[in-house]
């Protein structure tokens, strides 16, 4: 089966621009799209052993990190280019931007190139909600959302759509970020409460999402702030030297991760012994490991973002743009009439 939505010309690669991605989200509807991406991620997590896996390749600087995230299921290869620069927003730039590609393993030809800044926000939110649907206390209705930047509305909506959250309690050190998030969530079917401290945001919350950006060992949550039975969705600590939780919380929690080899470098557990026990979330989905086992347990999703989630999101986009006009055919690959006559093609172009 062809994986190219435009199979008539393999040299023209479908390119989904930011504008097309926005149109696609509105065409599908953001909540349906979050559910759809979560379904694709769940399907790929259930065939986890089949994938090529490696911790992402990171290039660090004083101001941030640039990363490549590759994976393959044997038929399709994918990668994402993504940056993380916490001080960018002060310059009017985003903390995270991304683009990604899918290729046909059999020929090595790219079959999709896509913007992934929006898609990363959607896939991160879909992953958070998929995990919370499995691990959070049953009938969780209230979420604390600490860090009200780029990801926060996507996180809140995914938790509403996939988990059934009804109230989101916002806190950010910058009140302007909280005002922005509250305004964007108006009319989206959530009760939104603006809070003046992290502690206040956690009142009555069964799910606590931390999504702050700071290139340091930050302590967004201290041990005394976290009561029993909650689910913590810690997504902001995703780089060496960048964490959000006090180590004492990690000692009390049952920790679930994407790919331990990457999370031990980048996640909250970089603060723990290298053999501190963690559970791989895909094993909970396939039934080979236990999820939440009692009401008083603290479950922690130590999220860093893994290549398979991007692969699933790109797969979803590839399937949804077929038979639409929501992509440009991109002249990305040289296509000489005689495949061995690249030079001749170049010469003829001169004429
Ligand atoms: P952003 O810069 O748009 O927003 C971050 C917000 O955190 C800002 O509003 C900032 O004021 C706030 N903040 C900083 N320190 C705080 C503190 N101590 N208490 C409360 N709020 C605080 O960034 P973003 O795109 O929303 O990303 C947030 C974090 O999530 C980044 O670190 C990013 O690398 C990470 N991220 C993780 C994944 C993943 O898959 N795990 C995916 C995307 C982004």
């Amino acid at each position: 089966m062809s994986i190219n939505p435009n199979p008539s010309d393999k040299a023209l690669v479908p390119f989904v621009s930011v504008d097309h991605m926005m149109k696609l989200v509105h065409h599908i509807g953001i909540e349906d799209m979050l559910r759809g991406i979560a379904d694709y991620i769940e399907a790929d997590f259930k065939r986890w052993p089949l994938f090529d896996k490696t911790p992402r390749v990171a290039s660090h600087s004083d101001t941030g990190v640039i990363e490549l995230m590759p994976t393959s299921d044997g038929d399709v290869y994918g990668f994402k280019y993504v940056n993380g620069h916490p001080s960018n927003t002060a310059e009017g730039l985003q903390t995270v931007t991304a683009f990604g590609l899918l290729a046909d393993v059999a020929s090595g030809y790219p079959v999709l190139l896509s913007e992934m800044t929006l898609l990363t926000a959607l896939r991160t939110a879909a992953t958070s909600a998929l995990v919370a649907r499995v691990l959070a206390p049953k009938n969780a209705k209230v979420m604390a959302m600490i860090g009200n930047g780029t990801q926060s509305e996507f996180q809140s909506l995914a938790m509403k759509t996939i988990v059934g959250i009804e109230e989101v309690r916002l806190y950010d050190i910058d009140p302007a970020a909280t005002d922005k998030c509250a305004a964007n969530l108006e009319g989206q079917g959530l009760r939104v409460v603006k809070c003046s401290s992290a502690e206040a945001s956690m009142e009555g919350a069964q799910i606590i999402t931390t999504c702050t950006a700071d290139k340091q060992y930050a302590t967004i949550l201290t041990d005394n702030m976290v009561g029993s039975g909650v689910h913590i969705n810690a997504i902001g600590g995703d780089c060496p030297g960048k964490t959000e939780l006090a180590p004492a919380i990690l000692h009390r929690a049952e920790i679930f991760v994407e790919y331990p080899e990457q999370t031990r470098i980048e996640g909250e557990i970089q603060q723990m012994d290298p053999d501190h026990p963690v559970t791989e979330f895909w094993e909970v989905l396939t039934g080979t490991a236990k999820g939440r086992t009692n009401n008083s347990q603290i479950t922690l999703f130590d999220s860093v973002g893994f290549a398979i989630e991007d692969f699933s999101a790109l797969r979803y986009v590839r399937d949804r743009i077929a038979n639409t006009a929501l992509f440009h055919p991109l002249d990305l690959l040289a296509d000489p009439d005689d495949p061995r006559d690249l030079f001749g093609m170049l010469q003829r172009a001169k004429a």
Side-chain angles (χ1 to χ4, degrees):
M1 191 179 68
S2 172
I3 56 169
N4 187 337
N6 183 21
S8 57
D9 191 342
K10 283 187 181 303
L12 293 177
V13 178
F15 167 58
V16 179
S17 65
V18 174
D19 189 47
H20 280 140
M21 187 62 78
M22 293 195 290
K23 289 191 170 111
L24 185 68
V25 174
H26 291 304
H27 170 69
I28 295 169
I30 188 162
E31 296 194 19
D32 281 348
M33 188 152 171
L34 285 163
R35 262 194 297 269
I37 294 173
D39 288 346
Y40 271 54
I41 294 170
E42 181 170 7
D44 285 340
F45 273 31
K46 284 182 172 166
R47 55 192 193 114
W48 189 269
L50 209 135
F51 281 88
D52 271 352
K53 292 176 286 295
T54 178
R56 59 186 152 198
V57 183
S59 174
H60 294 279
S61 66
D62 289 345
T63 51
V65 63
I66 293 175
E67 297 165 325
L68 289 177
M69 304 172 68
T71 190
S72 168
D73 69 357
D75 289 327
V76 181
Y77 172 92
F79 78 82
K80 178 168 86 171
Y81 166 103
V82 62
N83 76 299
H85 286 69
S87 52
N88 265 8
T89 49
E91 310 291 324
L93 301 173
Q94 292 187 96
T95 300
V96 175
T97 66
F99 68 89
L101 181 142
L102 287 182
D104 174 26
V105 168
S107 65
Y109 268 40
V111 295
L112 178 72
L113 178 65
S114 178
E115 88 77 41
M116 288 196 77
T117 307
L118 280 160
L119 196 56
T120 293
L122 291 161
R123 78 78 154 122
T124 305
T127 306
S128 291
L130 168 66
V131 174
R133 194 187 70 204
V134 175
L135 296 179
K138 290 274 159 287
N139 297 318
K141 297 289 176 218
V142 180
M143 176 172 84
M145 182 73 234
I146 302 173
N148 302 153
T150 306
Q151 312 300 322
S152 58
E153 298 91 345
F154 296 89
Q155 291 287 322
S156 303
L157 272 185
M159 289 291 185
K160 175 201 152 203
T161 304
I162 294 168
V163 183
I165 287 299
E166 294 172 355
E167 177 174 315
V168 45
R169 301 176 63 81
L170 307 178
Y171 171 69
D172 195 293
I173 40 167
D174 179 358
T178 303
D179 289 344
K180 177 251 357 170
C181 183
N184 281 338
L185 288 176
E186 216 176 285
Q188 299 282 352
L190 278 164
R191 224 168 26 252
V192 178
V193 182
K194 296 195 251 181
C195 302
S196 55
S197 67
E199 287 90 335
S201 74
M202 288 160 59
E203 272 167 33
Q206 296 91 16
I207 299 178
I208 301 161
T209 293
T210 54
C211 189
T212 65
D214 210 347
K215 205 167 177 6
Q216 61 161 330
Y217 294 109
T219 311
I220 309 301
L221 300 186
T222 55
D223 190 29
N224 61 334
M225 289 161 75
V226 178
S228 65
V230 296
H231 174 68
I232 304 173
N233 175 41
I235 59 178
D238 60 354
C239 226
K242 179 164 166 251
T243 58
E244 296 181 305
L245 308 183
I249 299 172
L250 306 183
H251 283 291
R252 288 167 60 208
E254 202 64 43
I255 303 174
F256 297 83
V257 301
E258 293 140 316
Y259 181 56
E261 288 84 342
Q262 183 177 310
T263 313
R264 290 200 192 275
I265 300 169
E266 303 178 351
E268 295 302 323
I269 54 170
Q270 65 186 279
Q271 307 178 83
M272 311 300 278
D273 290 339
D275 54 358
H276 189 83
V278 297
T279 303
E280 296 185 45
F281 180 68
W282 72 270
E283 293 199 279
V284 180
L285 285 179
T286 55
T288 49
K290 285 195 170 70
R292 171 177 289 277
T293 51
N294 64 64
N295 293 338
S296 58
Q297 204 172 35
I298 298 170
T299 50
L300 164 63
F301 178 38
D302 185 0
S303 161
V304 292
F306 188 58
I308 294 176
E309 293 146 27
D310 299 308
F311 178 95
S312 311
L314 285 169
R315 229 167 42 74
Y316 175 86
V317 168
R318 177 200 67 194
D319 290 352
R320 295 308 301 255
I321 63 167
N323 306 316
T324 75
L326 297 177
F327 61 92
H328 296 289
L330 199 65
D331 183 18
L332 186 68
L333 308 173
D335 188 30
D337 297 337
D338 172 350
R340 289 177 297 187
D341 193 16
L342 187 65
F343 191 82
M345 184 188 84
L346 175 65
Q347 290 304 101
R348 283 190 291 281
K350 202 171 165 186

